[in-house]
Structure formats: C-alpha cells, structure tokens
Amino acid sequence: LPAICERFNAEFPTVTLNIQMGTVAELYGGLRDEKFDICYGTKNNKYDFKWTSLMSDRYYAILPKDYPLSGDSFPIQQFNGTKFLMPGLGYDDDIGQVFSEHKVRPFVTPTYVDDPAILSMVEHNLGVSMLSALTISDRHDNVRIVPISPFVSRNICVAVKPDRVLTQPAPLKNAPAKSAMTGIVRESSAKAARPAPVMPRPKINSQEEKIFF
C-alpha cells in the first residue's frame, strides 16, 4: 500500500489520500455508508458492491517448526481435528468459506490479533493456522510455511458502491481520481501475482480532490 500511495501522489499531487485500516465490518460498512470511496480487500458476498478482481492470493499452512510433514505440501484435510488459530478482524469469513468448501472441521480457537501475532502464537506451539501469501511475504518467523493442497486462495478486489462504478464517466466527485487509483492498484497487484489487464488512468483537473479508502 505505501508503494501504491507513493506512485499515486507522484502522478496526482493535488489529490489527498485519507487511509484507514480496520475490520472487514468496519471497512465495508464504511464504504456502504459512504465514509470511504474505495476499499481494498477480499470479495465478500454479504455486501452489494461492485468488485474489481485484482489477484488470487494463495493460502499457506502455518505450522510449528517441528511439525511432522510427509511431503512438500500440507493436505487441507489434515486441518481436521487440529487446534486452529483463526485470524480475527473479520478475515475468518474467507478461511471459514475454504473450510466449508472442503468439509474441513478443525477445533477453532478464535483470535482478535493481527497476522504477526498469529505467527508468534504458532511459533510457541499454541496451534496451527492459515495465512495468505501477501500477509507472510516479508516474514521470517520461526515457523513452517507450507503450501496447502489442493490450491486454495482468496480473491483480492477493489470494492466500490454500485452507483459509483469507476469505469463510467459519470459526473461524480473524485470519479477520475478514483479510476486512476484503481488502475495503479491493479498494476501493482499484477507485479505480485499473475498479469492483469490495466485500467486506463484518466487525467484530472488541477483542483484539489480527496479520496477516502
């Protein structure tokens, strides 16, 4: 995100970015209530938004360093019966959907901590977990990070309200700048995953604008 904002500021210096982090409910609720213009996260069918897919973010098993493995991957069925540390902040919706699709039933321990705390808890043998590639890309904790088989992932998207679709030339405040932000986010996401088509970034006028996301 900092790299995305740096590039956007360089191309659109008159636009002010106001960035907030929060739970899924806080962010998508804020988008629904028009507190934000754009949300960046996983697709959630509980919310009636326009979703622009960016990338597939693969899930990995997070295991203690001495966890016994018989191969180079972790069969998802092996989560059955384990003490599973469920990431909080609303991201349990994504993992819960994966478990439901594959009929996996671990003993879930709900948590209300961030990803580094999950990694630390696994390191200290408090359970196992599952995190995505984007959340662990720069981590070097004393844990085993193993790809899950079969391939499971979450869909990273940009979300906007249906009446504020970014690709339409509607006379909405900030619409050109928001379209530009989406294009930059898609280009940056494509560098971290599979190639994705890039949305054009229209020019904006010199008056000051703000984007909330």
Side-chain angles (χ1 to χ4, degrees):
L1 185 58
I4 292 171
C5 294
E6 180 183 28
R7 178 175 170 187
F8 184 88
N9 286 336
E11 296 193 24
F12 302 96
T14 63
V15 178
T16 300
L17 296 178
N18 292 273
I19 303 170
Q20 294 189 32
M21 297 182 65
T23 67
V24 169
E26 289 170 344
L27 294 179
Y28 289 163
L31 181 62
R32 178 196 59 215
D33 297 337
E34 299 187 358
K35 296 178 181 178
F36 310 128
D37 297 304
I38 303 171
C39 274
Y40 179 55
T42 57
K43 185 175 181 179
N44 190 316
N45 292 326
K46 294 179 181 179
Y47 298 91
D48 182 24
F49 297 145
K50 169 66 177 180
W51 304 92
T52 301
S53 182
L54 299 174
M55 63 181 291
S56 176
D57 186 19
R58 184 173 188 174
Y59 279 118
Y60 288 78
I62 311 299
L63 311 169
K65 200 70 173 178
D66 58 354
Y67 195 94
L69 282 176
S70 58
D72 295 330
S73 64
F74 186 85
I76 194 168
Q77 296 299 326
Q78 288 191 16
F79 279 124
N80 276 317
T82 62
K83 183 178 180 181
F84 187 87
L85 302 171
M86 180 66 80
L89 305 178
Y91 301 108
D92 52 320
D93 286 349
D94 300 324
I95 295 176
Q97 181 177 345
V98 170
F99 283 164
S100 177
E101 290 173 355
H102 292 272
K103 297 179 172 58
V104 174
R105 294 184 178 180
F107 295 113
V108 173
T109 300
T111 69
Y112 299 93
V113 298
D114 57 12
D115 299 327
I118 288 286
L119 290 164
S120 180
M121 293 170 72
V122 173
E123 179 182 351
H124 289 88
N125 296 296
L126 298 180
V128 300
S129 193
M130 184 168 81
L131 295 173
S132 72
L134 286 179
T135 61
I136 58 178
S137 59
D138 296 324
R139 304 295 305 185
H140 303 283
D141 300 76
N142 192 30
V143 296
R144 300 187 75 170
I145 300 175
V146 184
I148 296 171
S149 59
F151 180 98
V152 290
S153 65
R154 60 179 186 167
N155 185 16
I156 303 296
C157 300
V158 166
V160 297
K161 292 192 69 176
D163 59 347
R164 298 197 174 192
V165 177
L166 300 183
T167 55
Q168 295 179 349
L172 297 172
K173 182 181 179 182
N174 301 330
K178 286 186 286 186
S179 296
M181 171 58 78
T182 300
I184 291 174
V185 168
R186 294 193 69 169
E187 289 181 7
S188 299
S189 299
K191 293 179 182 179
R194 53 179 169 75
V198 177
M199 296 175 62
R201 302 193 304 277
K203 298 295 184 180
I204 63 174
N205 57 36
S206 59
Q207 71 183 54
E208 183 178 1
E209 298 186 70
K210 294 184 179 181
I211 297 179
F212 295 83
F213 74 109

